[in-house]
Amino acid sequence: MAVAEQINTVDVVLLVDHAAQPMQAASAAAIRSILTSGNVDKLVFCFTHFDEVTGDNLATPKDRARHVLDSADNLLAALRTDFHHRDEQALRRRLDTATLFLSRIDKPLDPHDREGQFSIKSFRKLLGVIDAATERPDLGPGRPVYATTELGRAITTAIEQFHRRWDAILGLKSAHGVAREHWTRIKALNKRFAEASADQYDTLRPPAELRELLKEELYKQLDTPQSWKGHRPDDAGVWAIVNEFAQAVARRLNAPIHQRLSVAAQPQWQRSYVFHGAGSTLLRAEHIARYIFDPYVSDSPAEANSFLADLLTVIEEAAGEVDVSLV
């Protein structure tokens, strides 16, 4: 959650990866998160250990750079099935125009050495990207119109995914690709919420996971407005407006998630933490699911104070900031 908050406020996000290895799951997850928070225009790819990229057909730095970019390109292609083609194209543009290749930067760079020259050129390119980062696009007069019911459906989908995933993590139900966590790790997570010392334990991060699920499902809806008020811009203009709206939504998501899971639910976290002895594993899991996740992450439209209602308010506020219409 803290990293997500930083991404929303900084001018540039530098994604550092190892040039000699294919992009891993962590980098893929970071790219998805940056995309769905509307921050792709901040993204800069940085590939280190560029000197370790070797091969018979990689005689020059340009050959090696193309090889690294082709590997990253494969990762971006995987996003095509989940998001709009504009999103894939925007990421490819960043890969083409905002990518650095660095070699041996733990030592002084020699401007007379080929590797040193390439690294120095990349650092100068980074300075140029940072200088241009504060420039905001002109959104033009046209504005998208979104159906509130569709946005509500996206929120419901994300909430259902969250419950399915955490029911499996807690060992209450099974879900494809989700393993049950050991009871000691669940208890360690429970302790941090009960003591209000953290909202995660190691890889167990319910607030952050909920935030990412919401961002992804909402972004898919933001990418496809119901209609336009005024003249519909070209794809670049659509991209700029969608990103502004996505950023406005993403900036507001942390507060309601934190308020519900960490603040309002703290007494229930404290109750679940005191379970001990035989059978406490199941009791704790059931308590977390029934008395924390079910009521505090509710998608019930009938409840005035449901999580769904909170998030619709967040979207309305974001729409007002960007002058987007909801119907």
Side-chain angles (χ1 to χ4, degrees):
M1 296 282 277
V3 172
E5 195 72 46
Q6 285 183 308
I7 288 174
N8 288 331
T9 57
V10 299
D11 293 324
V12 172
V13 180
L14 191 65
L15 180 64
V16 183
D17 214 318
H18 198 300
Q21 300 171 359
M23 273 192 167
Q24 303 298 315
S27 294
I31 292 170
R32 289 179 75 99
S33 182
I34 291 165
L35 170 67
T36 56
S37 61
N39 287 305
V40 165
D41 287 341
K42 299 179 180 180
L43 179 59
V44 178
F45 295 90
C46 176
F47 295 99
T48 61
H49 300 80
F50 187 57
D51 52 302
E52 296 177 18
V53 178
T54 57
D56 293 339
N57 60 335
L58 305 176
T60 68
K62 287 186 177 181
D63 292 336
R64 287 185 282 143
R66 188 67 260 167
H67 175 76
V68 174
L69 291 176
D70 286 344
S71 174
D73 207 50
N74 293 334
L75 184 147
L76 300 187
L79 298 175
R80 186 185 300 130
T81 57
D82 295 332
F83 301 103
H84 198 281
H85 69 87
R86 283 193 305 268
D87 304 316
E88 181 192 357
Q89 289 171 355
L91 284 166
R92 291 187 189 281
R93 282 197 301 271
R94 295 305 291 178
L95 195 62
D96 290 339
T97 62
T99 299
L100 319 175
F101 300 96
L102 303 176
S103 300
R104 305 169 186 164
I105 57 173
D106 57 325
K107 301 173 183 177
L109 297 175
D110 185 354
H112 304 294
D113 173 75
R114 189 167 65 172
E115 299 292 348
Q117 289 173 355
F118 215 71
S119 293
I120 291 170
K121 182 179 178 181
S122 284
F123 275 122
R124 286 176 175 159
K125 182 177 181 180
L126 176 60
L127 293 176
V129 170
I130 293 172
D131 284 340
T134 55
E135 299 175 6
R136 306 307 299 167
D138 180 10
L139 300 184
R143 288 295 183 273
V145 178
Y146 295 94
T148 303
T149 53
E150 293 300 319
L151 295 172
R153 193 172 291 118
I155 293 170
T156 297
T157 298
I159 290 174
E160 289 173 350
Q161 291 174 355
F162 175 81
H163 285 298
R164 282 197 299 271
R165 174 170 170 77
W166 275 89
D167 281 347
I169 289 173
L170 293 168
L172 302 176
K173 296 179 182 177
S174 59
H176 178 70
V178 183
R180 176 180 181 175
E181 287 289 347
H182 194 273
W183 71 268
T184 55
R185 287 170 54 79
I186 297 297
K187 188 172 183 179
L189 174 71
N190 193 156
K191 180 181 180 182
R192 282 152 178 79
F193 275 102
E195 296 176 345
S197 60
D199 63 0
Q200 64 182 55
Y201 171 71
D202 193 26
T203 58
L204 300 179
R205 303 165 182 171
E209 288 182 10
L210 177 58
R211 184 182 188 278
E212 291 307 308
L213 289 169
L214 287 166
K215 283 202 303 102
E216 285 210 6
E217 293 303 320
L218 283 170
Y219 188 81
K220 292 172 186 176
Q221 289 299 320
L222 301 187
D223 233 357
T224 53
Q226 183 185 69
S227 60
W228 284 84
K229 182 185 291 185
H231 178 68
R232 183 190 185 279
D234 59 15
D235 271 1
V238 172
W239 167 258
I241 296 171
V242 167
N243 273 353
E244 287 291 321
F245 193 14
Q247 286 181 39
V249 171
R251 284 195 299 270
R252 290 169 166 82
L253 284 180
N254 279 13
I257 294 173
H258 174 76
Q259 173 61 30
R260 284 186 166 266
L261 286 180
S262 297
V263 180
Q266 189 188 8
Q268 294 297 340
W269 286 111
Q270 292 170 339
R271 290 187 181 94
S272 64
Y273 183 63
V274 298
F275 290 125
H276 65 280
S280 62
T281 296
L282 180 58
L283 286 174
R284 179 173 296 107
E286 289 178 339
H287 188 95
I288 291 172
R290 182 178 177 185
Y291 293 102
I292 299 175
F293 291 157
D294 283 352
Y296 290 104
V297 188
S298 168
D299 62 350
S300 171
E303 298 177 29
N305 63 341
S306 70
F307 188 53
L308 172 61
D310 284 355
L311 293 180
L312 288 175
T313 300
V314 160
I315 291 172
E316 289 173 4
E317 293 174 354
E321 178 185 326
V322 189
D323 193 24
V324 165
S325 297
L326 302 177
V327 295

